[in-house]
Amino acid sequence: MQTGQRRHLTLGLILVLGALALALSLSVAISVGAVSVPFGTVWGVLFDKIGLAWAEPSWSKGRAAIVWDIRFPRALLAVMVGAGLALVGAALQAVTRNNLADPHLLGISSGAAFGAILALLHTGLFLGLLTVPTLAFCGALAATALVLGTARLAEATSADRLVLTGVAVSFVIMAGANVLIFLGDPRATHTVVFWMLGGLGLAQWGHLIYPLAVLMPCMLWLWLQAPKLNAMTIGDETAATLGIPVARFRLTVFVAGALITGAMVAFSGMIGFVGLMVPHIVRPLTGGDYFRVLPVAALFGGIFLLWADIAARTLMAPEDMPIGIVTGLVGGLFFIALLRRK
């Protein structure tokens, strides 16, 4: 068997095993909670809702509502957010050649936080339940535009200077967000704090189309850019000799990452460390080829955030712990371990 065929066979095997792990994780995520639901009921409700039921329903309408209306969209949102953040983290680590890069690197999350705080404390829900995610998404895009504009103005198009620009802009935006909190109604600040710590409480079937519509085309585009990402990991000079417009390609990847991160953060709040951890976890399985790293990172990111949400819902049951606390704890320990490996 040729090397290329063996490589693709390995990728296929990893994806199949990952898909099975994802199905099991979905079952557990939908099953556990204040009201426990058996696995059979979980999948029975699913098949019944999509018209593939093999028997008469044996569960109550209340359990069907818990599974279909509450837990299933929440689990799917966790998969999309985890996949998107992991995907962006892997891509940013390639174009910045910085193994500690993640989606919050460029102030995207800070911009989303600013938009969400503006909606929660000052503008009111003038678009209904979509007000917070809409303004958060607009804030993420505005932050990205500000970073790119500042980088262009300062002629900071190299990888390290773009990172520094993103950090600086992030501090400025968070200062503005803190001013909004200071000027807002103190009785509503607990809602802001919960959103900034991350959560999946906004998950509804009608809302899932928005992050999905951003994630799928951007994920496909990044996957098609795998050869260029591989070249960027070697160095700007090597990539340029291969005909890659280095500065323009790096900025394009940043914009795609901002679109994905903005859409995810808009519906989940600020969830850190997923984009940092997952690419490092999958590389021992896939090697450094981004043709394999990107899809496997997306799959494992979804699985990781599902289990983080399970922990957030069960560790302090019946209280729903912000998921950002769980990912922050795990991510901080992982970060320390990564530093020890030098």
Side-chain angles (χ1 to χ4, degrees), residues 108 111-116 119 131-141 195 262 265-267:
I108 302 169
F114 185 95
T131 306
V132 174
T134 299
L135 289 190
F137 183 63
C138 293
L141 293 183
W195 188 91
V265 171
F267 286 89

